[in-house]
Amino acid sequence: MSVEIVADRELIASRVQAIADDLNDRISDETPLVVGVLKGAMPFLADLTKAMAADLEVDMFGLTRFGEGGKVSLAIDVGTPLEDRHVVLVEDLVDTGLTLRSVWSMLEARSPASITVVTLLDRRARRLVEVPVDHAAFVVGDEFVIGYGLDWEGRYRNLQDLWGVLDLTEFAAAPPALEQV
Ligand code: IMP
Ligand code: MG
């Protein structure tokens, strides 16, 4: 098969806990606002916030892509004012960094006290622009990744493990049923 598990749910859980521990050390006496990017970051954000000790708030926002170069606009805005808040931005995957750069600028324009960037996956070999990633659960290579929030054509977000697609052409020709077990 052209697809295999690259991180199973136990490994994901231990990495999520490690990042939560780091954040718990950094964030002691403030009420952080944890902000996730729809839709890919949802499972990661849910598990991460459950593992965080801080008294925190959660919000989400959604993006629409337009034009070239990873330009994005807000399709669903953050409901919470960001001014003077310590924001923890939760992403699914930072690839070229173009999306994160746009998102960062949009958030920064609202004058938060700080922005800490947390991503589930960091494909840093493909970075085109420098972006501040403070915590990454996993560094990945070129393979396309699905599961635990990440999709192919809108599917597979609900898989509990992370799967790497070895041959995307073969995969797309006959997308397999990767059931939850
Ligand atoms: P960037 O602007 O190139 O950094 O794009 C990052 C975005 O592309 C991520 O937030 C994902 O939504 C999407 N993406 C990139 N690689 C993958 C992948 O391997 N699987 C699923 N989505 C991906
Ligand atoms: Mg995304």
Side-chain angles (χ1 to χ4, degrees):
M1 233 204 325
S2 63
V3 56
E4 66 181 23
I5 290 178
V6 290
D8 66 16
R9 60 203 74 176
E10 286 81 21
L11 183 57
I12 295 169
S14 73
R15 291 296 303 135
V16 169
Q17 186 63 56
I19 292 176
D21 290 344
D22 284 348
L23 291 170
N24 288 339
D25 289 343
R26 282 170 64 151
I27 302 165
S28 45
D29 53 356
E30 56 216 36
T31 303
L33 177 62
V34 184
V35 180
V37 186
L38 292 166
K39 306 167 191 161
M42 285 196 312
F44 179 41
L45 179 135
D47 289 342
L48 184 69
T49 52
K50 283 187 283 181
M52 287 173 69
D55 179 23
L56 54 80
E57 291 176 43
V58 173
D59 211 333
M60 306 286 286
F61 63 96
L63 300 174
T64 309
R65 283 168 210 283
F66 64 92
E68 309 254 299
K71 284 216 168 56
V72 291
S73 64
L74 287 171
I76 302 169
D77 201 354
V78 189
T80 317
L82 301 188
E83 194 172 354
D84 297 329
R85 297 299 304 270
H86 290 281
V87 172
V88 178
L89 172 62
V90 181
E91 260 284 16
D92 55 357
L93 191 154
V94 182
D95 189 59
T96 61
L98 291 165
T99 305
L100 176 56
R101 186 173 65 174
S102 287
V103 166
W104 173 278
S105 314
M106 290 191 291
L107 299 185
E108 182 61 25
R110 298 177 185 190
S111 309
S114 66
I115 304 176
T116 302
V117 177
V118 181
T119 186
L120 175 66
L121 302 173
D122 185 353
R123 191 180 282 132
R124 48 179 77 133
R126 278 181 37 94
R127 204 75 96 240
L128 293 178
V129 292
E130 213 174 296
V131 282
V133 174
D134 298 290
H135 301 274
F138 301 100
V139 175
V140 288
D142 278 338
E143 75 273 25
F144 194 81
V145 181
I146 54 174
Y148 197 66
L150 289 120
D151 73 304
W152 173 82
E153 304 273 317
R155 297 175 55 187
Y156 303 109
R157 291 193 198 274
N158 58 324
L159 298 177
Q160 296 194 57
D161 308 299
L162 279 165
W163 298 69
V165 179
L166 308 173
D167 184 334
L168 199 53
T169 312
E170 189 188 316
F171 182 89
L178 301 170
E179 48 279 286
Q180 299 270 39
V181 281

